[in-house]
Amino acid sequence: MTNWKQIDTYAKKWIEEAGEKLRCSFEKKLNIETKTNPNDLVTNMDRETEQFFLDKITETFPGHRVLGEEGMGDAVSDLKGIVWIIDPIDGTMNFIHQQRNFAISIGILEDGIGKIGLVYDVVHDELYHAFKGQGAYMNDKEIPKLKEVAVKEAILSLNATWVTENKKLDPSILAPLVRDVRGTRSYGSAALELAFVAAGRLDAYITPRLSPWDFAGGAILIEEAGGEVSDLYGNPLDYIKGGSLFVSKPGLHKEIRENYLKNL
């Protein structure tokens, strides 16, 4: 029988240790490279942090598999058994330029079901964590269940790129929503934006494209906080291929889907 309490304890310990290593790296020179385009950045700390988790998980839980952004783990093509989905630094551009507004994200799934979600805001030392069926927390404080909010009173997290020009979504679809909400925000870290929705700091977050390591930890947080999670079409998330993402407080999800996203 799986000892989930032990897995949860180790995951929290390791994510805090990794966060301390990242804070200590602020005074050091980073090795910065590009991946798919000039703005898709990766540093030595991204790779070192992922390797840190891989070493710990492999040693402690040899039967578990790891799907990580930097590709150091397993070639995961299914979600059988226990899979850790890890983003060692979500918001690498912020990590490089600001030394803030980035996070470590971990989602732990069993047979495709999210069991543990962790998002660590390293600079503010805020660990958002959830264990399926036991609610969501920020450090030692339980996050209250999310309450309904109307579009006109909502704060929406959305990258401005998606309302100007992109190949994934007609900008005219999101423009009316941006006009009708109370305000919009963009933090440059999907993991943090998901954690902020879970904590009630944001009311919704929409993006046409994410990888599974961007949302695995945060999606579990939101579900445990009583929020709603799907892709833009209302379908379950794909934890292997990734895709679009729409998370919100309860009720808001239905209102936005029916009134703003119906023409997708």
Side-chain angles (χ1 to χ4, degrees), residues 205-224:
Y205 173 49
I206 289 177
T207 180
R209 185 182 68 243
L210 281 181
S211 297
W213 41 81
D214 297 316
F215 58 69
I220 298 168
L221 285 171
I222 291 171
E223 289 175 341
E224 283 300 307

Side-chain angles (χ1 to χ4, degrees), residues 249-261:
K249 289 182 175 177
L252 188 60
H253 206 270
K254 184 174 185 289
E255 184 180 358
I256 291 176
R257 284 272 304 124
E258 291 182 351
N259 297 329
Y260 298 93
L261 304 180

Side-chain angles (χ1 to χ4, degrees), residues 68-225:
E69 179 176 13
E70 306 311 327
M72 295 179 177
D74 302 283
V76 176
S77 59
D78 62 67
L79 295 174
K80 295 177 182 177
I82 297 177
V83 180
W84 297 57
I85 303 179
I86 297 174
D87 195 334
I89 303 178
D90 185 71
T92 298
M93 188 179 294
N94 291 346
F95 173 69
I96 294 168
H97 289 275
Q98 302 175 344
Q99 294 189 343
R100 66 191 65 234
N101 294 324
F102 66 91
I104 304 171
S105 177
I106 299 176
I108 308 176
L109 286 67
E110 182 180 40
D111 296 327
I113 304 299
K115 295 290 189 177
I116 294 172
L118 304 166
V119 174
Y120 187 31
D121 183 343
V122 173
V123 172
H124 293 101
D125 193 25
E126 292 180 342
L127 176 59
Y128 300 85
H129 55 100
F131 195 111
K132 187 172 180 60
Q134 297 185 18
Y137 293 77
M138 194 277 282
N139 291 339
D140 295 326
K141 185 177 181 180
E142 186 170 8
I143 296 172
K145 290 293 184 181
L146 297 175
K147 298 179 180 180
E148 293 190 14
V149 63
V151 165
K152 63 181 181 179
E153 298 174 345
I155 301 297
L156 169 68
S157 186
L158 179 76
N159 189 318
T161 304
W162 307 128
V163 199
T164 53
E165 181 180 353
N166 70 89
K167 298 178 181 179
K168 291 286 182 181
L169 186 65
D170 183 349
S172 66
I173 292 176
L174 290 177
L177 176 60
V178 170
R179 181 187 63 237
D180 291 350
V181 295
R182 176 166 283 172
T184 59
R185 300 290 185 270
S186 181
Y187 294 90
S189 166
L192 281 183
E193 286 161 307
L194 287 160
F196 292 168
V197 172
R201 296 176 180 177
L202 294 169
D203 299 305
Y205 173 49
I206 289 177
T207 180
R209 185 182 68 243
L210 281 181
S211 297
W213 41 81
D214 297 316
F215 58 69
I220 298 168
L221 285 171
I222 291 171
E223 289 175 341
E224 283 300 307

Side-chain angles (χ1 to χ4, degrees), residues 31-43 47:
N31 296 322
I32 304 170
E33 301 173 21
T34 60
K35 294 194 285 188
T36 59
N37 63 67
N39 295 322
D40 186 9
L41 306 177
V42 63
T43 72
R47 294 191 174 107

